[in-house]
């Protein structure tokens, strides 16, 4: 076991004492960095970059060379599982991901099998192993997956969507078909994340990007119960350490209590909820991750610093249980200098809360 030089992120997620509030950024390895753009051009296209162990390792490490981040996150995509299920993932320039063979009926669901994490998805595990080796204990590595509901939206819609009419049609007209798919996806995510943990991921996160498009009852039935199943099925200790799990539902602020009750260690917050309110509701049960609006990084540095101070004050002097992050992924046209100032400000301004 490589000794971790900086385990602040893991300790904060487990609500153990820390010296400062740890920080990382969703999509921290990505298009806002010129070095990332160069590496992606070298790979040829996005999925080729994901499948190239050396280059996926390189782009994961790039933001850590620039910034004093407290965690690295595996460079991959949430759609690796549906791709490995044979749906034919491809990317249209400027249009996002698409599937050649979307799910349209029960027969399509019955046809798909669970991909082997060390078979069709071995390139992801190879990246995890390579990144861990390259990190050499500097900071922990976060593995991740999309939630069953979020994966299903892409698989049924055939790509990105605004109205989610196809999946909602199935949800209301053929709920048993959608439940069959979601159950398969939950089983697949459990295998996939446990394989990432075995390969070296020290924490895992489930991204429920589209859970917020559901009504409260439908969220419980079609998203949350499957994330709870994943939490129950995950390896929670490896290599002599606890492996924390974080659940993040975008626009999920109204369901914080239910998310916290799944048994996860951390709950991700987007920027549409006040962190003080979140602490009052679930802060004694789980750690909280978030939650600055990513667009704040367009602001002058002084304004970014004011927002960091406000969020830290909102979390209060609990001294632990807060992982600072953006409320969603960093935008591709953000100035990297502003990201660097944000990270430095979190470390500096949080220290008085941890005395």
């Amino acid at each position: 076991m490589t000794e971790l030089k900086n385990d602040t992120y893991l300790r904060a997620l487990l609500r153990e004492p820390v010296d400062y509030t740890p920080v990382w950024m969703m999509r921290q390895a990505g298009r806002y960095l010129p070095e990332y753009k160069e590496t992606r051009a070298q790979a040829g296209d996005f999925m080729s970059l994901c499948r190239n162990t050396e280059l996926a390792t390189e782009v994961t490490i790039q933001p850590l060379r620039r910034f004093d981040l407290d965690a690295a996150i595996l460079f991959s995509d949430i759609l690796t599982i549906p791709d490995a299920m044979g749906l034919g993932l491809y990317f249209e320039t400027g249009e996002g991901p698409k599937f050649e063979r979307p799910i349209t009926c029960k027969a399509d669901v019955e046809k798909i099998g669970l991909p082997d994490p060390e078979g069709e998805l071995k390139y992801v595990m190879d990246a995890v192993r390579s990144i861990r080796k390259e990190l050499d204990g500097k900071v922990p590595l976060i593995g991740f997956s999309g939630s069953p509901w979020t994966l299903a939206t892409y698989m049924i819609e055939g790509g990105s969507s605004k109205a989610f009419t196809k999946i909602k049609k199935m949800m209301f007209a053929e709920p048993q078909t959608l439940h069959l798919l979601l159950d398969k996806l939950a089983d697949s995510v459990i295998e996939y994340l446990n394989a990432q943990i075995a390969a070296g991921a020290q924490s895992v996160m489930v991204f429920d990007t589209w859970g917020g498009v559901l009504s409260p009852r439908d969220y419980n039935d079609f998203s949350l119960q499957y994330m709870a199943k994943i939490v129950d099925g995950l390896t929670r200790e490896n290599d002599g350490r606890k492996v924390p799990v974080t659940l993040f539902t975008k626009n999920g602020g109204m369901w914080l209590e239910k998310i916290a009750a799944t048994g996860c260690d951390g709950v991700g917050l987007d920027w549409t909820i006040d962190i003080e309110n979140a602490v009052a509701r679930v802060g004694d049960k789980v750690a909280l991750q978030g939650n600055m609006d990513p667009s704040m990084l367009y602001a002058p540095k002084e304004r970014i610093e004011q927002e960091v101070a406000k969020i830290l004050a909102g979390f209060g002097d609990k001294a632990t249980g807060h992982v600072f992050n953006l409320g969603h992924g960093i935008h591709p046209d953000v100035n990297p200098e502003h990201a660097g100032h944000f990270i430095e400000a979190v470390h500096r301004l949080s220290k008085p809360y941890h005395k």
Side-chain angles (χ1 to χ4, degrees):
M1 175 170 95
T2 308
E3 188 180 344
L4 259 177
K5 300 173 182 75
N6 174 3
D7 65 353
T8 311
Y9 161 77
L10 296 178
R11 285 190 285 124
L13 270 187
L14 296 169
R15 293 186 292 146
E16 296 171 0
V18 290
D19 295 330
Y20 60 88
T21 303
V23 58
W24 66 280
M25 296 183 294
M26 287 189 264
R27 294 198 189 130
Q28 66 188 25
R31 293 175 292 173
Y32 72 107
L33 292 177
E35 56 266 44
Y36 168 85
K37 292 174 191 170
E38 287 174 20
T39 310
R40 176 165 170 169
Q42 189 183 336
D45 60 69
F46 179 75
M47 285 310 293
S48 296
L49 180 54
C50 291
R51 290 191 178 102
N52 184 312
T53 304
E54 185 183 338
L55 297 184
T57 302
E58 165 62 18
V59 294
T60 300
I61 300 295
Q62 282 173 351
L64 278 86
R65 293 194 190 114
R66 275 185 179 257
F67 311 126
D68 188 20
L69 292 153
D70 293 290
I73 183 164
L74 163 70
F75 182 80
S76 188
D77 193 79
I78 63 167
L79 298 179
T80 50
I81 288 175
D83 181 42
M85 287 175 163
L87 271 61
L89 175 67
Y90 67 102
F91 287 81
E92 287 271 323
T93 307
E95 290 187 37
K98 296 195 177 226
F99 285 109
E100 292 169 6
R101 295 172 290 280
I103 299 289
T104 60
C105 60
K106 190 175 183 183
D108 290 343
V109 177
E110 288 171 339
K111 196 165 58 181
I112 59 174
L114 272 59
D116 179 358
E118 289 288 359
E120 301 95 326
L121 290 164
K122 185 174 182 291
Y123 68 93
V124 179
M125 306 312 141
D126 287 344
V128 172
R129 286 184 277 263
S130 171
I131 294 160
R132 268 298 302 272
K133 187 177 177 185
E134 189 70 23
L135 283 170
D136 193 31
K138 182 182 178 184
V139 293
L141 174 62
I142 306 166
F144 72 91
S145 171
S147 72
W149 166 260
T150 292
L151 298 180
T153 65
Y154 288 98
M155 295 167 77
I156 294 168
E157 298 289 334
S160 303
S161 179
K162 289 182 179 175
F164 301 94
T165 51
K166 291 176 184 174
I167 191 167
K168 288 196 173 185
K169 180 180 178 182
M170 185 180 284
M171 184 172 80
F172 292 126
E174 294 180 71
Q176 70 285 356
T177 300
L178 185 52
H179 281 301
L180 183 66
L181 175 60
L182 293 168
D183 207 46
K184 273 192 176 184
L185 286 167
D187 288 339
S188 189
V189 169
I190 290 167
E191 286 189 17
Y192 183 58
L193 289 180
N194 281 341
Q196 289 185 34
I197 292 164
Q202 291 147 297
S203 173
V204 291
M205 185 161 169
V206 179
F207 288 93
D208 187 33
T209 311
W210 299 121
V213 305
L214 291 164
S215 72
R217 186 181 64 231
D218 294 328
Y219 175 73
N220 197 63
D221 292 349
F222 291 93
S223 184
L224 189 63
Q225 72 155 318
Y226 293 101
M227 289 198 288
K229 178 181 176 177
I230 291 164
V231 172
D232 286 345
L234 288 177
T235 304
R236 301 296 283 274
E237 193 166 322
N238 188 48
D239 220 9
R241 251 185 199 282
K242 289 182 179 175
V243 180
V245 55
T246 304
L247 301 182
F248 172 70
T249 295
K250 191 180 176 196
N251 295 320
M254 69 183 94
W255 305 311
L256 291 184
E257 292 85 353
K258 288 186 174 184
I259 300 170
T262 60
C264 64
D265 299 288
V267 175
L269 308 173
D270 70 11
W271 65 94
T272 64
I273 180 165
D274 186 87
I275 197 164
E276 191 172 356
N277 173 262
V279 170
R281 288 163 59 191
V282 298
D284 60 338
K285 298 177 184 67
V286 289
L288 295 171
Q289 177 181 282
N291 64 333
M292 192 172 88
D293 186 334
S295 296
M296 184 58 68
L297 292 179
Y298 294 129
K301 291 179 181 177
E302 303 76 38
R303 179 69 184 89
I304 294 169
E305 194 158 320
Q306 287 168 11
E307 193 66 16
V308 167
K310 182 183 167 191
I311 291 168
L312 288 169
F315 187 84
D317 58 2
K318 285 165 57 63
T320 192
H322 185 202
V323 173
F324 212 116
N325 207 311
L326 306 175
H328 203 242
I330 185 170
H331 299 312
D333 57 345
V334 160
N335 182 340
E337 278 189 24
H338 286 220
H341 187 76
F342 157 65
I343 291 156
E344 185 278 327
V346 171
H347 285 161
R348 173 168 44 83
L349 297 174
S350 68
K351 282 177 183 171
Y353 291 98
H354 298 276
K355 284 180 180 174

